[in-house]
């Protein structure tokens, strides 16, 4: 503990220096433990320069998702975060049946196997048929730190769209809302939420174009909706007017780059991933 917080209570120190939420602080106070220099103490205890603060978080509630044994394509892992390279075809969380296999259920199985007392904290989600990089927080504290600064998490996508896309680069600034006749589909709508997508054309073929995207907002199905609205639905995206492609399940969309500030070390972290091999079919 630095001299700047000498005389402050543990509670004040955790709220200010640790950026704790009041909800998380309450959970630690009620069901966790706090130690100063190896001795368990209460939250009101004032700190001295050089004190070592150790927190034991309470075991987290696991929720209703049923654990499943499955492959977790881990790219990076430490005590606070996991970066996965998700394959297409598996949901991140089960949409309806909580016993359906998902990335979350694979995480819960792995945590149980390790005796790890936390639930699955998803920071960046991907649609079921979207592949690529996604960020997981390993405990409630890192989840809080990451989600309170979502604007510092940057994701870059690549997609294959139908047709010869004519523009080299630009910005789509069209609000997106839920379709009136569906709980799944989204549409461009004046009543929707602000939605901005940057795009850059990579290459153009006779029937398909490959485009790189950067999301400036995080709406559900944002890239898929914006491109369909422009008349260039993603290849295989039958929900938004695309034609089914043999050998490809769902839309050709991949998160190829993930950048974030580590919640604890504050180090800049960047990861990249190549699109699926079967995308060569679009060449």
């Amino acid at each position: 503990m630095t001299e700047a917080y000498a005389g402050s209570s543990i509670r004040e120190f955790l709220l200010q220096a640790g950026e704790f939420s009041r909800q998380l602080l309450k959970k630690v106070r009620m069901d966790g433990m706090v130690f100063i220099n190896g001795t368990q103490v209460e939250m009101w205890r004032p700190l001295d320069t050089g004190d070592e603060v150790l927190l034991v978080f309470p075991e987290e509630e696991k929720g209703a998702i049923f654990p499943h044994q499955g492959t977790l394509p881990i790219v990076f892992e430490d005590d606070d975060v996991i970066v996965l390279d998700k394959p297409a075809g598996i949901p991140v969380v089960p949409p309806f049946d909580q016993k359906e296999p998902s990335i979350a259920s694979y995480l819960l199985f792995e945590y149980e196997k390790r005796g790890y007392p936390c639930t699955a904290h998803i920071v960046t989600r991907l649609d079921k048929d979207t592949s690529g990089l996604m960020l997981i927080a390993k405990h409630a504290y890192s989840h809080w730190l990451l989600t309170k600064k979502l604007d510092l998490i940057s994701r870059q996508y690549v997609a294959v769209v139908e047709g010869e896309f004519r523009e080299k680069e630009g910005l789509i600034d069209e609000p997106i809302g839920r379709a009136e006749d569906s709980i799944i589909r989204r549409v461009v709508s004046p009543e929707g939420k602000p939605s901005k997508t940057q795009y850059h054309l990579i290459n153009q073929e006779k029937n398909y174009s490959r485009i790189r995207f950067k999301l400036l907002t995080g709406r559900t199905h944002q890239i898929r909706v914006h491109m369909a609205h422009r008349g260039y639905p993603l290849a295989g995206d039958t929900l938004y007017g695309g034609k089914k492609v043999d050998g490809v399940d769902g839309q050709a969309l991949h998160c190829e780059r993930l950048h974030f500030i580590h919640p604890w070390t504050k180090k800049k972290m960047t990861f990249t991933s190549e699109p699926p091999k079967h995308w060569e079919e679009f060449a």
Side-chain angles (χ1 to χ4, degrees), residues 58-69:
E59 184 169 344
E60 297 177 6
E61 296 181 7
K62 301 298 174 58
I65 296 177
F66 187 82
H68 287 92
Q69 184 173 7

Side-chain angles (χ1 to χ4, degrees), residues 158-189:
V158 62
V160 177
V161 305
E162 294 183 358
E164 297 181 58
F165 196 73
R166 298 296 184 182
E167 301 174 49
K168 183 66 177 177
E169 58 185 23
L171 172 70
I172 302 175
D173 184 358
E174 298 282 1
I176 292 176
R178 192 188 300 272
E180 292 184 359
D181 59 347
S182 173
I183 62 172
I184 299 174
R185 288 182 65 252
R186 267 57 175 178
V187 293
V188 167
S189 166

Side-chain angles (χ1 to χ4, degrees), residues 24 33 85 97 113 158 173 186 200 220 238 246 256 260 266-267 282:
L24 183 57
M33 292 182 287
D85 196 350
D97 184 358
K113 186 173 72 173
V158 62
D173 184 358
R186 267 57 175 178
H200 175 82
T220 299
T238 55
D246 291 339
E256 66 172 2
F260 63 95
K266 308 306 179 186
K267 180 181 177 182
F282 301 112

